[in-house]
Amino acid sequence: MLETVVKRDTDLGTPEVISDTLVTVTIDGYDISVPEGTSVMRAAALNGVNIPKLCATDSIEAFGSCRLCLVEIEGRRGYPASCTTPVEQGMVIRTETPKLHQLRRGVMELYISDHPLDCLTCPSNGDCELQDMAGVVGLRNVRYGYEGANHLQDQKDESNPYFTYDPSKCIVCNRCVRACEETQGTFALTISGKGFASRVSAGQDQPFMDSECVSCGACVQACPTATLEDKSIIELGQADHSVITTCAYCGVGCGFKAEMKGETVVRMTPWKDGKANRGHSCVKGRFAWGYTTHKERITKPMIRKSISDPWTEVSWDEAIGYAASEFKRLQGKYGRDSVGGITSSRCTNEETWLVQKLVRAAFNTNNVDTCARVCHSPTGYGLKSTLGESAGTQTFDSVMFTDVVIVMGANPSAAHPVFASRLKKRLRQGARLIVIDPRQTELVSSPHIRADYHLQVRPGTNVALLSAMSHVIATENLVNLDFVRERCEEKAFREWLDFVSLPENSPEAMQAETGVPAEQIRGAARLFATGGNGSIYYGLGVTEHSQGSTTVMAIANLAMATGNIGREGVGVNPLRGQNNVQGSCDMGSFPHELPGYRHISDDVTRHDFEKAWNVTLQPEPGLRIPNMFDAALEGTFKGLYCQGEDIVQSDPNTQHVAASLSAMECVVIQDIFLNETAKYAHVFLPGSTFLEKDGTFTNAERRISRVRKVMEPASGMADWEITCALSHALGYPMNYNHPSEIMDEIAALTPTFTGVSFDLITKMGSVQWPCNDQAPEGTPIMHIDEFVRGKGKFMITKYIPTDERSTRKFPLLFTTGRILSQYNVGAQTRRTPNVAWHSEDVLEIHPVDAEDRGISQGDWVGIQSRAGETVLRADVTTRVQPGVVYTTFHFPESGANVVTTDNSDWATNCPEYKVTAVQVTRVTQPSAWQHKWSEFNREQRALLKNRVTMDETPVTG
């Protein structure tokens, strides 16, 4: 049954004010007490009195331009605007008098005199604040005609693929401009012209697509008229109901309202009460949901004997039965450990739980892993070793209380844009910023923020840099000794202190390795240690290294040494890349861990699961993803069940991955498109999108949020039902009626989830684990009084240079990252209008390196490493430093991971995507791999297009 909510959120007019002092005022004869500093408008709204307004909304600061919210206040002259007037003790306010009615009607009459009277055909009809306010103030006629100057013939700007700008309907309320500034922090909009000529302008009177607009949708959300309107609303009309769910893109985990007509989504609007996003969004979550109904979606199960055969559409029973029989055959022939599974960070907690349960209980092996292996597995290892828990310590809101921020190996403006907006807001309020990154990101320098320090570290030398910063803190007596004595292991701290104090770890000694001047390192270390609340946010530029786990430990050491753990505004905060990468780890997707990060060899934990699941589990860890690939090429790993993960495009050394899959006898893919991995599959089980799911996602701040089904699965089966069916066919029945029952099992077997239920999440909106008897409503901030492990443990973090170092043959260092408009392997975003911003991956190269190679802007360049070669178009830019080249990995034909090697983190096998030694040369044609890929892609698409049904009728769609 679909859950619906009211269409429009309550808008209290101005933002909430936090104050311990209450002020009592009288509004229309009723006394009300509100926090000091609250606006008259908000105070009235809290008392159920909604003062008319147009320029005011509670997501941005009051502006006082529309003059519709006038009130009378005893003892004051005139009619002040209620949005900009704060309450005072004893104030007596009247919101409805004959004079106020007259003034408001006069104001509204002026607005309407230069506004199209096309309400019945306007796309905002029924959802227009101007229309509502005209009714509220009782406007019945307009004395001013259109004979004089007006804006009715102004031309629309249709350049943006997602929304229209119609200046003829603009009332110049400034809400869009302020939303762009305050909420998003891009400052792309302004009011151009003066007086009658004033109108909203993108950039320097540019089309929206040519301006700095990032299409986050904040301006569209803020607009009270049809001036800025979703094209989907123009095409499909207004919604009749909405469902609250959670975005399926990055690890921020934004809450959204899916606005619906029947089972058709007409708009996704950020949920005002979403704890992770606070009513904000980015271009992906707000607009890029069209892939869910894309024509390329596969909705029928398919099987084939060989990857050179055409696909055959079959019934669900036959597809499940065939997959199960193949897995049984392989285990019978090659042994129990010849098969395994990979869970997805894009699927729900409940779906992930079932996949690892299927592998352990139905396959009776621990050969299960997750894509977190190739992104944040070092986070789990490093934070578990030092702090005792494999997750970030704070809420996103905590950044608003920080004084000094380190952003290391992350580009939140591109990869976590909603969090980035909140971070930038805090920076504009005066927080200091240290960016540690080989590349110059937007945070380093932009019109309204600037980093105090940009430590442009050479790729692969993160540990050296953090050791040098720690050396400064240790040798200049900047360690918070009170915190360390109370909270940390004394012996480990003393060993760490002696280690980082060694001269070999000084900034001067390390600058040759890191490429960062010693004085910059010293300045940044002093700032972080003495600047107040210090917080650290990091991304894949930390973890995807041969010393990824070591770097995470070094970050934790730095936080403990400065006492920046356990309160608001501090902490160690991994920025998780995918919507449920935290959850996929929590659910026990690693071959050595059961859910809750408990080792499979622990007899007590294992016996708890055995009793609950009525099965005997294997006590030895299974194969990691890289081990599965190697075993496949050795002939001992023959079958794979992969749910929602495109390992061919996303994992390193693409040719090695493809060869491994080719060596397997049964690859079962559960997904929504024929992605790169599915081209090597023998069974395709059509998956469901987030709009077709019930369950939960867990974001980067450990926040568990509901995912609610707004439409039935196009394939007829939800992902959790498919896994249950496969398990049943393998001889191990799983009996659930709804994903809520799966969560109940998760809670029963996972100590950090014992209090979690769908009912609690619905009641609270979301909940952060640990949620148990000690924290029945969750844990926003970790490690407040003591660390999860008891005492924090400092770890020795010796710098060991990576094998991937520049050489005469491969003199440049190749690194990768994300871009705002695209997501991960691009399977979703490439099937939306987001390609208007980014339609290909390009190689960023510094002008010095480009000139040395005779490369100009836009040239085709070959990138060669010891693993392979690909060709991209060159972008000559100073965003990268000399000696470093950079690209994104959103398009399969780009082959970024053809170049990356199998070098990996020493502890977790997380691939070293961020450091690959390469040579770059100017070329005139695609690489040999790209020619091969193009041919294989054509073949596989032809086999899909020519698929047959059971009655051998070709399918040509």
Side-chain angles (χ1 to χ4, degrees):
M1 182 176 179
L2 302 182
E3 302 175 53
T4 61
V5 295
V6 294
K7 182 178 175 184
R8 184 181 294 177
D9 291 319
T10 301
D11 190 330
L12 299 178
T14 60
E16 180 183 12
V17 173
I18 306 299
S19 174
D20 294 330
T21 303
L22 293 182
V23 173
T24 300
V25 298
T26 302
I27 300 178
D28 293 341
Y30 293 93
D31 292 342
I32 181 172
S33 296
V34 294
E36 185 178 34
T38 300
S39 70
V40 169
M41 176 179 285
R42 187 179 181 93
L46 291 169
N47 201 37
V49 176
N50 294 312
I51 300 171
K53 64 185 187 301
L54 281 173
C55 72
T57 182
D58 58 12
S59 62
I60 52 181
E61 295 298 325
F63 192 60
S65 69
C66 76
R67 311 311 296 167
L68 201 63
C69 70
L70 308 179
V71 294
E72 293 181 358
I73 300 175
E74 282 191 7
R76 289 204 183 181
R77 297 176 59 186
Y79 304 92
S82 61
C83 64
T84 55
T85 303
V87 295
E88 295 177 5
Q89 179 65 35
M91 185 180 276
V92 177
I93 304 155
R94 286 185 288 274
T95 69
E96 297 290 339
T97 68
K99 184 60 177 177
L100 290 174
H101 294 165
Q102 178 189 9
L103 290 171
R104 290 169 183 165
R105 278 194 295 270
V107 170
M108 182 58 67
E109 189 176 5
L110 291 172
Y111 279 118
I112 299 301
S113 71
D114 188 20
H115 195 85
L117 298 179
D118 59 352
C119 290
L120 292 180
T121 57
C122 178
S124 289
N125 186 22
D127 188 28
C128 173
E129 293 178 48
L130 184 68
Q131 187 182 59
D132 293 343
M133 291 304 104
V136 167
V137 303
L139 184 67
R140 296 296 176 259
N141 60 76
V142 178
R143 292 168 290 173
Y144 315 110
Y146 295 143
E147 294 80 8
N150 59 62
H151 298 87
L152 301 185
Q153 302 305 314
D154 287 4
Q155 295 298 305
K156 294 181 181 179
D157 177 1
E158 301 276 12
S159 63
N160 191 285
Y162 292 120
F163 60 83
T164 295
Y165 170 54
D166 184 354
S168 72
K169 294 179 177 177
C170 181
I171 60 172
V172 201
C173 65
N174 218 277
R175 270 166 55 164
C176 59
V177 177
R178 289 179 288 138
C180 188
E181 294 174 356
E182 297 176 27
T183 306
Q184 168 58 26
T186 297
F187 294 81
L189 303 183
T190 187
I191 301 294
S192 64
K194 296 180 180 179
F196 177 79
S198 60
R199 272 295 179 269
V200 172
S201 168
Q204 300 296 313
D205 288 318
Q206 298 167 290
F208 270 80
M209 283 298 284
D210 295 339
S211 73
E212 295 177 345
C213 171
V214 294
S215 296
C216 68
C219 60
V220 182
Q221 187 79 359
C223 182
T225 69
T227 305
L228 290 159
E229 184 62 274
D230 298 74
K231 288 183 176 179
S232 59
I233 292 291
I234 296 172
E235 178 184 354
L236 301 171
Q238 293 291 331
D240 55 35
H241 70 283
S242 58
V243 180
I244 293 173
T245 189
T246 303
C247 181
Y249 280 117
C250 78
V252 174
C254 296
F256 274 88
K257 288 201 303 182
E259 298 190 15
M260 312 288 298
K261 292 178 73 172
E263 285 199 1
T264 299
V265 179
V266 299
R267 178 167 60 188
M268 295 290 288
T269 55
W271 184 31
K272 184 177 176 180
D273 293 329
K275 303 297 190 300
N277 58 318
R278 302 293 181 187
H280 190 34
S281 61
C282 80
V283 62
K284 294 189 287 286
R286 179 68 163 83
F287 296 116
W289 40 267
Y291 71 90
T292 60
T293 55
H294 195 274
K295 63 182 180 180
E296 291 184 0
R297 270 198 69 180
I298 301 173
T299 59
K300 302 289 185 182
M302 303 185 301
I303 62 175
R304 59 181 177 178
K305 292 290 185 181
S306 164
I307 67 169
S308 60
D309 295 335
W311 287 100
T312 298
E313 285 187 359
V314 296
S315 68
W316 272 111
D317 286 345
E318 184 166 358
I320 294 292
Y322 179 76
S325 66
E326 282 293 281
F327 285 133
K328 289 177 181 177
R329 178 184 69 81
L330 294 173
Q331 287 188 299
K333 183 176 181 180
Y334 300 103
R336 182 187 63 216
D337 292 325
S338 63
V339 299
I342 296 176
T343 73
S344 173
S345 293
R346 286 186 285 280
C347 292
T348 65
N349 287 315
E350 294 74 17
E351 292 158 357
T352 305
W353 174 275
L354 292 186
V355 173
Q356 63 86 28
K357 181 179 179 179
L358 176 144
V359 173
R360 299 188 199 280
F363 287 168
N364 196 24
T365 177
N366 289 315
N367 292 341
V368 62
D369 210 347
T370 181
C371 62
R373 169 73 55 209
V374 301
C375 63
H376 269 285
S377 52
T379 284
Y381 187 90
L383 295 187
K384 188 78 170 180
S385 301
T386 51
L387 309 182
E389 193 57 273
S390 302
T393 63
Q394 311 293 120
T395 65
F396 289 137
D397 285 340
S398 176
V399 77
M400 298 308 295
F401 300 92
T402 197
D403 299 307
V404 182
V405 189
I406 291 178
V407 176
M408 183 172 186
N411 183 7
S413 299
H416 304 85
V418 171
F419 167 73
S421 293
R422 203 170 309 172
L423 167 61
K424 288 186 283 189
K425 184 173 185 176
R426 179 58 186 150
L427 295 174
R428 294 195 302 272
Q429 292 173 348
R432 311 287 292 278
L433 174 64
I434 300 164
V435 173
I436 303 174
D437 202 290
R439 186 168 170 265
Q440 181 167 313
T441 65
E442 186 219 19
L443 288 178
V444 172
S445 179
S446 57
H448 299 278
I449 54 171
R450 187 176 298 273
D452 292 85
Y453 292 93
H454 177 203
L455 308 184
Q456 200 164 10
V457 62
R458 183 175 294 120
T461 63
N462 285 336
V463 172
L465 179 71
L466 292 173
S467 293
M469 290 181 68
S470 296
H471 176 92
V472 175
I473 291 169
T475 59
E476 296 186 7
N477 298 318
L478 300 178
V479 173
N480 187 331
L481 291 175
D482 290 340
F483 180 90
V484 172
R485 289 191 190 105
E486 179 183 353
R487 300 285 304 274
C488 303
E489 291 184 8
E490 175 70 16
K491 181 175 182 293
F493 167 67
R494 289 298 168 191
E495 291 173 350
W496 173 84
L497 193 68
D498 290 343
F499 165 72
V500 296
S501 297
L502 293 172
E504 65 197 56
N505 287 320
S506 70
E508 289 73 19
M510 286 297 189
Q511 69 180 354
E513 285 289 333
T514 65
V516 182
E519 277 311 302
Q520 285 192 30
I521 298 175
R522 288 189 177 276
R526 291 163 185 157
L527 174 60
F528 186 73
T530 64
N533 284 342
S535 57
I536 305 173
Y537 294 85
Y538 69 87
L540 302 184
V542 161
T543 56
E544 291 177 344
H545 288 270
S546 62
Q547 282 198 286
S549 293
T550 312
T551 309
V552 173
M553 293 176 189
I555 288 172
N557 290 343
L558 190 63
M560 289 188 292
T562 54
N564 282 308
I565 293 281
R567 63 183 186 277
E568 288 274 29
V570 299
V572 176
N573 307 280
L575 293 173
R576 303 280 189 161
Q578 297 184 59
N579 54 301
N580 201 39
V581 70
Q582 180 67 60
S584 68
C585 299
D586 299 341
M587 294 299 103
S589 295
F590 290 124
H592 67 292
E593 285 179 335
L594 287 163
Y597 306 98
R598 292 165 292 167
H599 204 279
I600 189 69
S601 64
D602 181 73
D603 291 341
V604 174
T605 299
R606 195 174 65 257
H607 291 160
D608 286 343
F609 280 86
E610 290 176 333
K611 182 178 179 181
W613 291 352
N614 192 29
V615 69
T616 299
L617 300 178
Q618 299 302 316
E620 296 297 324
L623 298 176
R624 297 172 174 180
I625 290 174
N627 305 138
M628 293 181 194
F629 296 155
D630 292 341
L633 291 174
E634 293 166 2
T636 59
F637 189 83
K638 291 294 186 177
L640 178 67
Y641 173 42
C642 182
Q643 184 190 69
E645 181 63 19
D646 190 357
I647 53 177
V648 172
Q649 188 178 341
S650 64
D651 282 37
N653 198 342
T654 299
Q655 296 178 92
H656 176 71
V657 178
S660 302
L661 288 172
S662 297
M664 298 181 195
E665 294 183 17
C666 182
V667 176
V668 179
I669 298 298
Q670 188 170 322
D671 220 303
I672 59 177
F673 298 112
L674 189 79
N675 58 26
E676 298 306 296
T677 307
K679 294 171 185 175
Y680 294 88
H682 306 91
V683 180
F684 189 96
L685 305 177
S688 50
T689 70
F690 80 110
L691 294 174
E692 299 160 326
K693 293 179 185 289
D694 274 309
T696 57
F697 293 151
T698 306
N699 75 349
E701 48 174 1
R702 297 169 284 104
R703 186 179 302 282
I704 310 164
S705 301
R706 284 279 279 115
V707 183
R708 291 180 174 87
K709 182 168 65 176
V710 305
M711 60 179 70
E712 294 300 326
S715 68
M717 287 188 72
D719 282 315
W720 69 273
E721 294 174 313
I722 298 169
T723 304
C724 286
L726 178 58
S727 186
H728 185 85
L730 287 165
Y732 183 78
M734 295 186 192
N735 299 308
Y736 306 96
N737 295 308
H738 190 267
S740 61
E741 297 176 3
I742 306 172
M743 177 53 75
D744 292 341
E745 181 175 293
I746 294 169
L749 289 169
T750 312
T752 49
F753 276 68
T754 55
V756 179
S757 67
F758 278 28
D759 287 342
L760 178 66
I761 297 171
T762 298
K763 175 185 174 183
M764 295 187 62
S766 62
V767 63
Q768 291 173 268
W769 68 260
C771 178
N772 46 34
D773 291 341
Q774 292 73 42
E777 294 189 345
T779 309
I781 297 177
M782 297 277 282
H783 316 296
I784 291 178
D785 297 316
E786 65 175 3
F787 291 101
V788 170
R789 69 184 309 279
K791 295 284 189 179
K793 185 174 183 179
F794 284 83
M795 304 293 288
I796 301 300
T797 54
K798 183 174 177 57
Y799 168 60
I800 300 174
T802 173
D803 293 337
E804 281 295 316
R805 311 195 81 183
S806 55
T807 64
R808 177 176 293 180
K809 183 176 181 180
F810 300 120
L812 303 176
L813 295 179
F814 173 84
T815 189
T816 62
R818 291 184 167 106
I819 201 164
L820 172 63
S821 61
Q822 295 294 333
Y823 173 71
N824 210 38
V825 297
Q828 296 147 282
T829 44
R830 282 188 282 108
R831 292 175 171 90
T832 72
N834 277 31
V835 292
W837 288 277
H838 187 76
S839 58
E840 64 176 338
D841 296 319
V842 298
L843 186 79
E844 294 185 2
I845 184 169
H846 192 274
V848 170
D849 295 321
E851 184 177 6
D852 287 347
R853 292 160 174 78
I855 294 169
S856 300
Q857 179 71 21
D859 283 350
W860 290 108
V861 292
I863 308 103
Q864 183 181 29
S865 73
R866 61 183 173 87
E869 182 177 9
T870 193
V871 171
L872 298 174
R873 202 179 299 276
D875 179 15
V876 182
T877 175
T878 56
R879 284 190 296 271
V880 291
Q881 57 185 297
V884 175
V885 291
Y886 167 92
T887 191
T888 49
F889 49 88
H890 305 301
F891 290 80
E893 63 269 26
S894 299
N897 284 324
V898 172
V899 178
T900 54
T901 69
D902 53 8
N903 210 36
S904 65
D905 174 51
W906 63 272
T908 67
N909 280 136
C910 181
E912 192 168 35
Y913 293 107
K914 303 308 183 195
V915 192
T916 304
V918 300
Q919 178 60 285
V920 175
T921 55
R922 188 180 178 194
V923 298
T924 57
Q925 62 178 338
S927 68
W929 175 85
Q930 285 168 316
H931 283 296
K932 183 179 177 182
W933 177 88
S934 296
E935 181 60 29
F936 183 65
N937 182 58
R938 280 193 296 271
E939 292 171 356
Q940 290 300 315
R941 288 194 169 277
L943 294 174
L944 177 65
K945 182 177 181 180
N946 296 322
R947 64 192 183 274
V948 296
T949 60
M950 286 302 292
D951 60 5
E952 297 187 350
T953 301
V955 177
T956 58

